[in-house]
Amino acid sequence: MKIRKAVIPAAGLGTRFLPVSMSVPKELLPIIDRPLLQYVIAEAAEAGVEEVIIVTSPGKESISGYFQPHSALEQRLAASGETDLLARVAEAGNLAKVSFVLQKEALGLGHAVLMAKDAVGNEPFVVILPDDIIAHSPGAISQMVQVSEELNAGVIAVEAVPWEVVHNYGVVDATQVSDRVHKIKGLVEKPPREQAPSNLTIVGRYILPPQVFEALENTKPGAKGEIQLTDGLLALLRGHELYAYEFAGTRYDGGTPMGLLRASLAFALDREDTSKEAVALLREFQYRIDLSA
Ligand code: G1P
C-alpha cells in the first residue's frame, strides 16, 4: 500500500538547545536558510508523501505559523519582481498538506506518535524525527519505501555506530538478510553498552503499519519513565515483521548545537550558492588553528 502520510513528532522540550528553545522551537532552527522541519518534509515529499501530521506541544505555536500562507510578504515580493524570494517563501507550503495535532503532556516519543492515530487512520505511514537530517539522493525515505514495498513489511532506518555511543539510541537485535537489510528480532531503547544486542542503532525514520497505534496504546512507560516508540515496536513484532535498513547517506544530528553546526557546514559546502564562501570560511579557521598550534 502506498505511503501517503508522515507523522513528525515535534513536541519535545528541546533542552539541548536551551536557552534559544525557550522561544524558538528547535525544529525551526535553520541549516543555512531553511528550518530542520523543511528538510525532512522535502525528503518525505520526494518519497511520495502527500500529507504531513506534525505533533506539537503547547508553546510551540510558531511551528504552524511557518506553514501558513504569508500573503502580505508574497504580494510585496511579487510587486517588486523578486521571483526567487517569492519561490522560497512558497516552498514549505507547496511540499505537502500539513496539519497539526497537540501532545498536551510530555509523555514520550511513543505517546507523541499515538496522538496522530486518528489523523493517520488505517494505513501504513512514515514517522520522521526531524533531529535526524540525512543527506542523500534519493532520500532515505524513498529508499525505505522501496524496501518496504519489496518486503511488504515495516522498515526502520539504522546505522552502525561505535559501541561507545550505542547507549544514546534505540538498538536493534537483527539477522542480516541482504546487503543493507536485517530482519529484526528485538529492539531496546538506550541500553547500557554491555546489554546492547548490536551496534545497529535506530535513526529517526520508520515505515510502520497502523497496528503500531494499538501496540502504543498498550505500552507502559520505559526508559526515562516515558512511553517509548521503541517499546511499542517491540510489542508490534509479535504480529508483524519489521526490518532494519542501513540507508545510504550521511546522518547529521540536528538535535544538538554542534551537530547542527556540522550539518550547516556540510550543506554549505554542497550548495552551489554557498560553497565558495564555505570553503573560504573553513580555510580561514584552519589558518587560525594552525597559528595557535
Ligand atoms: C529517539 C528514539 C531512539 C532513536 C533516536 C534517533 O531518541 O527514541 O530510539 O535511536 O531518536 O535519533 P531521542 O534522540 O529522542 O532520545
Side-chain angles (χ1 to χ4, degrees):
M1 208 173 153
K2 193 179 174 313
I3 304 292
R4 300 187 308 136
K5 297 185 181 181
V7 174
I8 305 185
L13 294 173
T15 46
R16 281 171 297 194
F17 274 107
L18 284 171
V20 69
S21 54
M22 288 193 291
S23 68
V24 182
K26 69 169 176 182
E27 295 79 7
L28 291 184
L29 292 174
I31 294 177
I32 309 181
D33 51 7
R34 288 162 173 83
L36 290 174
L37 258 179
Q38 192 160 333
Y39 289 92
V40 298
I41 294 175
E43 185 190 324
E46 181 218 52
V49 166
E50 296 157 6
E51 196 181 329
V52 170
I53 300 133
I54 300 179
V55 186
T56 61
S57 55
K60 297 183 93 172
E61 290 75 17
S62 53
I63 295 183
S64 66
Y66 183 75
F67 292 93
Q68 266 143 34
H70 291 74
S71 323
L73 178 60
E74 288 181 33
Q75 276 164 23
R76 262 183 59 178
L77 294 173
S80 54
E82 292 176 90
T83 45
D84 237 37
L85 285 180
L86 192 60
R88 282 199 218 179
V89 169
E91 198 181 282
N94 289 339
L95 290 170
K97 175 175 177 275
V98 178
S99 64
F100 296 87
V101 295
L102 203 60
Q103 184 193 28
K104 290 193 188 115
E105 284 178 280
L107 297 179
L109 179 61
H111 180 261
V113 172
L114 183 55
M115 297 299 101
K117 180 183 176 188
D118 291 344
V120 170
N122 194 27
E123 58 183 282
F125 64 105
V126 56
V127 174
I128 312 171
L129 308 187
D131 277 4
D132 286 330
I133 297 295
I134 302 173
H136 195 269
S137 184
I141 303 171
S142 292
Q143 299 171 39
M144 291 168 71
V145 165
Q146 200 180 339
V147 175
S148 171
E149 281 169 359
E150 278 164 19
L151 298 169
N152 192 26
V155 175
I156 299 169
V158 295
E159 72 174 345
V161 302
W163 280 91
E164 299 78 63
V165 297
V166 287
H167 63 277
N168 294 321
Y169 299 98
V171 181
V172 300
D173 181 8
T175 312
Q176 188 152 15
V177 293
S178 63
D179 188 20
R180 293 181 178 275
V181 181
H182 308 249
K183 186 161 196 278
I184 298 181
K185 293 181 287 183
L187 311 94
V188 51
E189 182 66 15
K190 301 196 172 77
R193 178 182 169 168
E194 318 74 65
Q195 284 165 33
S198 76
N199 66 338
L200 280 181
T201 57
I202 298 173
V203 175
R205 306 284 184 277
Y206 314 72
I207 293 179
L208 301 172
Q211 288 80 8
V212 71
F213 292 119
E214 206 185 310
L216 286 169
E217 276 165 347
N218 295 311
T219 299
K220 302 272 173 293
K224 296 197 285 180
E226 296 177 350
I227 297 173
Q228 295 291 348
L229 179 57
T230 304
D231 295 342
L233 298 176
L234 182 63
L236 183 70
L237 263 188
R238 280 185 223 124
H240 292 81
E241 284 189 344
L242 292 175
Y243 289 86
Y245 172 68
E246 291 185 75
F247 57 88
T250 307
R251 175 215 176 224
Y252 297 95
D253 183 2
T256 64
M258 290 314 283
L260 188 61
L261 181 59
R262 181 168 170 259
S264 302
L265 287 172
F267 279 55
L269 283 171
D270 275 354
R271 247 169 76 161
E272 215 179 299
D273 60 333
T274 51
S275 65
K276 253 192 169 160
E277 275 180 84
V279 169
L281 181 82
L282 289 171
R283 290 217 170 101
E284 179 198 329
F285 279 95
Q286 184 60 55
Y287 179 71
R288 284 202 211 173
I289 291 165
D290 290 347
L291 274 188
S292 64

